[in-house]
Amino acid sequence: MTWAQRTTCSVLEQNSVEDELELSAVRHRPEGLEQLEAQTRFSRKELQILYRGFKTECPSGIVNEDTFKDIYSQFFPQGDASTYAHFLFNAFDTDHNGSVSFEDFVMGLSILLRGTVQEKLNWAFNLYDINKDGYITKEEMLDIMKAIYDMMGKCTYPVLKEETPRQHVEVFFQKMDKNKDGVVTIDEFIDCCQNDENIMRSMHLFENVL
Amino acid sequence: MATGVAAWLPFARAAAIGWMPVANCPMPVAPRDNHKRQDELIILNVSGRRFQTWRNTLDRYPDTLLGSSEKDFFYNEETKEYFFDRDPDAFRSILNFYRTGKLHYPRHECISAYDEELTFFGIIPEVIGDCCYEEYKDRKRENLERLQDDQEENKDMKLPKLNFRETIWRAFENPHTSTMALVFYYVTGFFIAISVITNVVETVPCGSTTNQKDMPCGERYTVAFFCIDTACVMIFTVEYLMRLFAAPSRYRFMRSVMSIIDVMAILPYYIGLVMTNNEDVSGAFVTLRVFRVFRIFKFSRHSQGLRILGYTLKSCASELGFLLFSLTMAIIIFATVMFYAEKGSSSSKFTSIPASFWYTIVTMTTLGYGDMVPKTIAGKIFGSICSLSGVLVIALPVPVIVSNFSRIYHQNQRADKRRAQKKARLARIRIVKSGSANAFLQSKRNGLLNELLELTGTEEDEQKLIKSTSLLESQHHHLLHCLEKTTCYPVCSLQAHEFVDEQMYKQNRLETALQNDPSRSPSICSHDSSVGTCCSHRVKRNAALPSVSVPSTHPIPMHQGPLQELRAIHIQCGDLPSHTTSRSNLNLKTDDSGRINCRGAQITTAIICLPTPSALTPDGDGLHGSAGTNIIKVSAL
């Protein structure tokens, strides 16, 4: 989609989303299969499978944040996944219109599953950067860390302590923040990750998901 | 995990990349999907209607038939589809369960049919969605109640041997069981009526005597009334004592409502006997006589409608309570208002608030006797408001009570109707079943005659008799035949009595004899033999023609008419233990003749008979033949 097309599309979507009374009747039809095939790295068949799953859970064609949280929470029954789902939702909702359409969904998945390491790391940085200002601060990182630990739930052994997320954030910043200015930029992040064996290896972990 | 969500697992796993940069420890290895195959469409052929779905859809519920490897049993290699011989309509909702994760119960489906389908496909009914669960449960409960009713009916019919006490109790509870019970039932009813009528007539003024005072009949014909009263009380006492004796649980019986009514009906008489002519207590004695009116409640044993009414009132207790409560509230309010409104007026009848209660009640129930009327304007206004509201308050709970009564009454009617229908149904089923019983014997006969004719070589007859029985039938008959061979007893006539007379049966078994004449000439002989003889003949018999008929000891249903081989003799009177499907039950008159046959067990009767294809016209002794076939009847020796 060109930038202009995207804006018009998102504007239209926004209009339809802001049609409060008709919220339940909002329908979103995705772009044609060929276009999506061109824009993402999925094959036709994979797109078909993805769409079928998507549409079964969200017949109206778009996911709003509550549904998203619901779905994601079902994978983590032992803890509270809603905070992390919120961050994830923001990461997927690239045009920030409050709902994730199939295009957003597929684009995100394309990066995560078929993208280069650079793109994946970019995506992860985007996830951590809550206010999307290009810097990860300690507070942002702490929020993310707490969200991840919340997903673990209460029944861990040994029991998670209050300061564990904070310590984890300290470790992370020590590793990533090269110039010690209290924030992590995208370049620092990518540099550091590329030098870390574990992280590199784990980036390729989910490639055969589909 | 819900079904559709399973489709989002790839997404959740992909999103896990977001944890990677922050992770401290190395990640575990991802599981490999070795036999990863592309999702394929599978075809489910349900009685000709083809349903297609993705394999993954079905795999969502691996503990059901369609989701597990159990469906491989139904795979049809030629057509490459899964074939199920079930109802396609019901299958729709089952397949939708896989698709949407919600199982719906279609309202037009019969509950037991639907249950069966669920059981077949391995789906527990608890997964039915909220939208349909209540309806499902309601209908299931109704069905269960109906089945229980039917079972209770069956229990009644079984009639095990009861001892004296139980027989009496049954006679009392269910007067239709025997004539004596019915007679007693009507006699008691009659005497209840007499007693009530005497009580009423007693008080009617009966014309004057010499002292020119109108006396009630009771005082005029004291002796007559006393005699009638005594007689009634005698009957009631006897009845009560018999019930008390026969009750399975005396304590529970004495606590039951009917027994209390019985006691109250007869007690005044006895107390009166004890307390006669004592002036001090005669007042109390008179009061006691009032209780004689309770005899009318004894009618509730005789009338089902009365019982239903009582039951309705009991079940509507809450509505009645509400009615009472609201009436009381309204009465108090209006009585207070009327009292203060009428306080000013002189010579007002509204002397106190309790005195005003009477006015309020009479007005609210729209009776309006007119013995108390308001005179002031304020009183009249409030009086009119009172009467208007009275109508409303009374009209509200009444429809609820009425609808309850109607529902219970109709339920009762339906129960009676079902009972009557069941009898007719069972009778018809018996007829049909015994018809198929004949088929077995007939095929044996055919087999016999085939062999016969082979020997004698008459072609035409052979063709007439070789019927084309279906493979299923012939296999079934062969099976029965094998059973006969296994045991030593020939197939027996079912025209004997319904219930096993044990002694008779044993006797018959002892006297069963079977003999094969290797020379293949008809021979008739008889002997009292023990079972041992019978079995010793078994060896010889195996060499004989397979269609030796033996009375079977097992409850093989549906045998009609004795059937014997030319060469064999057998005594035909074993009683089969269960004759519930025997047509002979419908022809009670054959019992005696059957019995006679069996009594003649000492004597061998070798009879060749060919029961007619139509199984509906037995003779007196069940032996008859159709035209064109031979009947050789050899009388008993």
Side-chain angles (χ1 to χ4, degrees):
Chain A
M1 247 192 303
T2 65
W3 181 86
Q5 274 178 316
R6 275 182 82 132
T7 355
T8 36
C9 197
S10 69
V11 164
L12 286 172
E13 272 184 35
Q14 207 146 15
N15 284 340
S16 59
V17 166
E18 283 165 4
D19 200 355
E20 304 278 44
L21 299 169
E22 304 289 326
L23 208 51
S24 60
V26 166
R27 294 272 177 272
H28 176 78
R29 207 167 287 151
E31 307 246 336
L33 204 48
E34 290 82 15
Q35 277 164 296
L36 279 178
E37 216 183 335
Q39 283 156 23
T40 66
R41 300 195 186 93
F42 291 121
S43 70
R44 266 182 100 85
K45 262 204 132 66
E46 288 167 335
L47 281 172
Q48 282 177 337
I49 296 176
L50 278 173
Y51 188 66
R52 282 205 296 266
F54 186 84
K55 187 110 173 134
T56 311
E57 198 61 23
C58 318
S60 59
I62 53 166
V63 195
N64 58 7
E65 186 160 344
D66 289 325
T67 323
F68 189 87
K69 279 187 180 165
D70 255 340
I71 296 171
Y72 198 69
S73 307
Q74 295 200 31
F75 292 106
F76 304 99
Q78 73 276 12
D80 175 25
S82 49
T83 333
Y84 190 71
H86 168 74
F87 295 133
L88 257 188
F89 185 82
N90 285 337
F92 268 90
D93 185 15
T94 42
D95 39 15
H96 308 292
N97 57 358
S99 63
V100 168
S101 67
F102 183 62
E103 287 93 346
D104 296 333
F105 180 72
V106 145
M107 298 287 211
L109 273 187
S110 168
I111 295 175
L112 287 174
L113 297 177
R114 303 285 156 91
T116 64
V117 176
Q118 184 92 352
E119 287 171 345
K120 288 181 191 174
L121 288 173
N122 221 331
W123 189 89
F125 186 85
N126 200 28
L127 173 68
Y128 300 146
D129 185 11
I130 297 176
N131 55 4
K132 317 284 177 226
D133 62 354
Y135 300 103
I136 305 179
T137 64
K138 274 202 181 156
E139 286 73 25
E140 286 174 344
M141 204 58 228
L142 189 58
D143 282 338
I144 300 266
M145 203 61 74
K146 277 208 196 127
I148 295 180
Y149 276 91
D150 277 342
M151 275 199 291
M152 296 283 295
K154 301 267 175 285
C155 314
T156 54
Y157 181 77
V159 177
L160 284 176
K161 296 201 273 279
E162 269 295 316
E163 59 273 13
T164 321
R166 200 174 291 278
Q167 285 170 350
H168 204 140
V169 170
E170 290 301 324
V171 169
F172 177 79
F173 262 78
Q174 266 175 1
K175 228 180 2 170
M176 299 280 166
D177 192 8
K178 285 289 167 349
N179 55 3
K180 306 285 177 227
D181 57 354
V183 292
V184 178
T185 62
I186 179 82
D187 303 307
E188 284 176 341
F189 184 73
I190 293 180
D191 261 337
C192 189
C193 286
Q194 279 178 330
N195 294 334
D196 188 330
E197 284 257 341
N198 274 338
I199 296 179
M200 280 296 110
R201 210 182 5 247
S202 58
M203 280 292 146
H204 299 283
L205 203 55
F206 296 110
E207 269 167 14
N208 60 344
V209 157
L210 264 191
Chain B
M1 217 163 51
T3 61
V5 178
W8 283 60
L9 185 60
F11 155 74
R13 293 182 70 204
I17 287 190
W19 307 335
M20 298 302 136
V22 278
N24 288 336
C25 327
M27 291 291 141
V29 181
R32 231 159 240 304
D33 192 0
N34 280 331
H35 39 90
K36 184 181 157 86
R37 35 159 208 255
Q38 289 290 5
D39 204 2
E40 40 166 356
L41 275 179
I42 65 175
I43 303 177
L44 302 164
N45 185 347
V46 182
S47 300
R49 206 188 293 180
R50 278 181 176 70
F51 296 87
Q52 292 182 328
T53 183
W54 297 108
R55 187 176 286 275
N56 279 352
T57 315
L58 293 182
D59 288 340
R60 285 179 190 158
Y61 295 102
D63 51 356
T64 59
L65 185 151
L66 290 174
S68 65
S69 57
E70 197 181 340
K71 65 177 182 286
D72 295 337
F73 287 100
F74 299 92
Y75 188 67
N76 186 343
E77 293 291 344
E78 295 106 47
T79 54
K80 297 256 181 295
E81 57 189 23
Y82 293 88
F83 182 75
F84 297 95
D85 204 6
R86 311 289 298 187
D87 184 9
D89 287 329
F91 189 74
R92 265 187 54 233
S93 43
I94 289 177
L95 194 53
N96 274 337
F97 168 59
Y98 287 90
R99 293 180 181 138
T100 63
K102 294 210 218 59
L103 180 62
H104 294 283
Y105 169 58
R107 277 170 175 70
H108 60 266
E109 282 282 344
C110 166
I111 182 75
S112 41
Y114 190 71
D115 250 351
E116 268 180 39
E117 294 295 313
L118 285 186
T119 319
F120 180 83
F121 286 103
I123 299 172
I124 48 173
E126 274 67 32
V127 300
I128 291 183
D130 286 335
C131 41
C132 301
Y133 193 62
E134 199 184 320
E135 166 93 12
Y136 172 81
K137 272 292 174 199
D138 281 343
R139 283 178 69 166
K140 193 151 182 193
R141 195 175 25 92
E142 261 180 48
N143 200 36
L144 215 61
E145 282 171 2
R146 205 173 302 138
L147 281 176
Q148 272 175 357
D149 275 346
D150 286 348
Q151 268 176 10
E152 277 170 18
E153 290 300 316
N154 280 345
K155 266 200 295 225
D156 269 348
M157 308 244 241
K158 251 198 293 197
L159 292 180
K161 206 74 167 73
L162 297 166
N163 62 15
F164 181 59
R165 186 171 156 185
E166 283 169 2
T167 338
I168 293 192
W169 181 248
R170 265 192 92 240
F172 272 125
E173 291 298 304
N174 198 354
H176 298 282
T177 45
S178 71
T179 344
M180 269 309 296
L182 211 56
V183 162
F184 193 74
Y185 176 76
Y186 282 125
V187 162
T188 35
F190 175 69
F191 272 98
I192 295 174
I194 290 275
S195 162
V196 169
I197 291 175
T198 18
N199 281 345
V200 166
V201 169
E202 234 179 20
T203 58
V204 170
C206 228
S208 47
T209 61
T210 44
N211 41 4
Q212 289 176 345
K213 195 166 65 128
D214 256 348
M215 283 169 54
C217 283
E219 286 176 26
R220 192 150 168 211
Y221 303 103
T222 333
V223 178
F225 279 104
F226 183 74
C227 288
I228 299 179
D229 207 17
T230 315
C232 293
V233 171
M234 284 294 117
I235 300 269
F236 296 154
T237 319
V238 164
E239 186 204 350
Y240 180 70
L241 288 175
M242 280 177 72
R243 273 186 208 263
L244 191 61
F245 163 70
S249 156
R250 298 219 169 99
Y251 177 63
R252 201 154 56 99
F253 171 72
M254 286 179 67
R255 279 190 318 175
S256 73
V257 176
M258 286 312 301
S259 105
I260 293 178
I261 291 178
D262 286 339
V263 167
M264 289 180 75
I266 58 180
L267 216 47
Y269 176 79
Y270 290 111
I271 296 181
L273 276 185
V274 167
M275 292 188 343
T276 43
N277 298 329
N278 191 342
E279 283 298 322
D280 294 335
V281 293
S282 68
F285 172 64
V286 165
T287 324
L288 272 180
R289 298 191 104 201
V290 165
F291 281 97
R292 290 191 303 172
V293 81
F294 272 87
R295 289 182 193 165
I296 208 172
F297 283 117
K298 286 167 72 76
F299 265 130
S300 64
R301 277 211 187 94
H302 297 251
S303 154
Q304 204 182 31
L306 258 182
R307 275 203 299 271
I308 294 178
L309 187 61
Y311 183 67
T312 311
L313 290 176
K314 202 164 61 158
S315 67
C316 296
S318 63
E319 277 82 27
L320 284 174
F322 167 67
L323 177 61
L324 213 57
F325 177 68
S326 54
L327 265 179
T328 314
M329 246 177 41
I331 287 172
I332 294 179
I333 292 175
F334 279 109
T336 318
V337 166
M338 290 306 296
F339 172 71
Y340 283 112
E342 286 288 302
K343 202 156 182 213
S345 126
S346 59
S347 74
S348 135
K349 294 239 178 88
F350 294 81
T351 50
S352 64
I353 293 186
S356 314
F357 281 168
W358 176 244
Y359 169 76
T360 323
I361 291 174
V362 166
T363 315
M364 280 186 91
T365 51
T366 70
L367 276 175
Y369 288 135
D371 53 349
M372 281 166 86
V373 281
K375 293 199 172 53
T376 61
I377 296 187
K380 286 188 181 160
I381 292 176
F382 287 117
S384 41
I385 298 177
C386 175
S387 61
L388 287 174
S389 66
V391 172
L392 270 179
V393 167
I394 291 182
L396 282 176
V398 167
V400 178
I401 299 174
V402 164
S403 77
N404 253 356
F405 178 78
S406 161
R407 181 178 55 87
I408 296 173
Y409 185 71
H410 282 304
Q411 244 177 18
N412 241 1
Q413 297 287 74
R414 269 209 306 272
D416 287 340
K417 192 164 71 156
R418 264 210 312 276
R419 265 191 289 262
Q421 276 175 355
K422 215 160 88 105
K423 273 196 176 154
R425 246 181 51 204
L426 283 178
R428 278 202 298 276
I429 289 176
R430 268 200 294 269
I431 294 175
V432 170
K433 273 202 181 157
S434 58
S436 68
N438 291 335
F440 170 55
L441 294 172
Q442 200 171 350
S443 77
K444 279 207 328 191
R445 157 181 65 98
N446 283 344
L448 272 179
L449 283 180
N450 283 344
E451 281 127 17
L452 236 184
L453 291 167
E454 269 167 40
L455 300 172
T456 58
T458 46
E459 285 288 323
E460 322 91 62
D461 284 341
E462 192 173 333
Q463 259 156 23
K464 242 194 285 180
L465 292 170
I466 292 177
K467 281 203 319 194
S468 54
T469 50
S470 70
L471 181 63
L472 196 67
E473 261 184 62
S474 53
Q475 283 176 342
H476 184 220
H477 297 161
H478 174 251
L479 180 68
L480 293 173
H481 222 148
C482 290
L483 184 60
E484 285 182 352
K485 293 311 214 58
T486 323
T487 64
C488 291
Y489 302 97
V491 167
C492 174
S493 138
L494 286 189
Q495 57 196 91
H497 8 267
E498 194 166 343
F499 306 115
V500 179
D501 187 3
E502 282 218 1
Q503 223 174 353
M504 185 72 63
Y505 183 55
K506 282 195 202 124
Q507 193 185 12
N508 293 337
R509 281 178 60 153
L510 283 173
E511 290 155 352
T512 310
L514 202 54
Q515 181 180 6
N516 281 332
D517 191 341
S519 67
R520 298 203 159 186
S521 61
S523 65
I524 300 161
C525 76
S526 74
H527 43 102
D528 295 326
S529 60
S530 63
V531 179
T533 319
C534 163
C535 292
S536 69
H537 280 285
R538 212 188 297 167
V539 176
K540 277 196 216 166
R541 210 182 27 239
N542 285 339
L545 287 178
S547 50
V548 169
S549 46
V550 289
S552 112
T553 52
H554 301 271
I556 297 179
M558 25 180 221
H559 296 300
Q560 168 63 22
L563 183 65
Q564 285 131 12
E565 206 201 16
L566 259 183
R567 284 152 282 270
I569 313 132
H570 62 89
I571 301 184
Q572 62 169 22
C573 337
D575 284 333
L576 298 187
S578 82
H579 287 243
T580 49
T581 54
S582 156
R583 183 161 53 82
S584 62
N585 293 343
L586 302 178
N587 297 321
L588 292 173
K589 61 177 157 56
T590 65
D591 276 2
D592 289 337
S593 47
R595 209 181 273 270
I596 291 169
N597 265 343
C598 286
R599 283 227 181 77
Q602 311 274 353
I603 310 158
T604 317
T605 51
I607 308 156
I608 299 171
C609 90
L610 309 167
T612 54
S614 85
L616 292 172
T617 54
D619 259 1
D621 55 0
L623 307 172
H624 54 87
S626 56
T629 57
N630 297 331
I631 307 174
I632 308 161
K633 184 168 175 179
V634 178
S635 62
L637 303 170

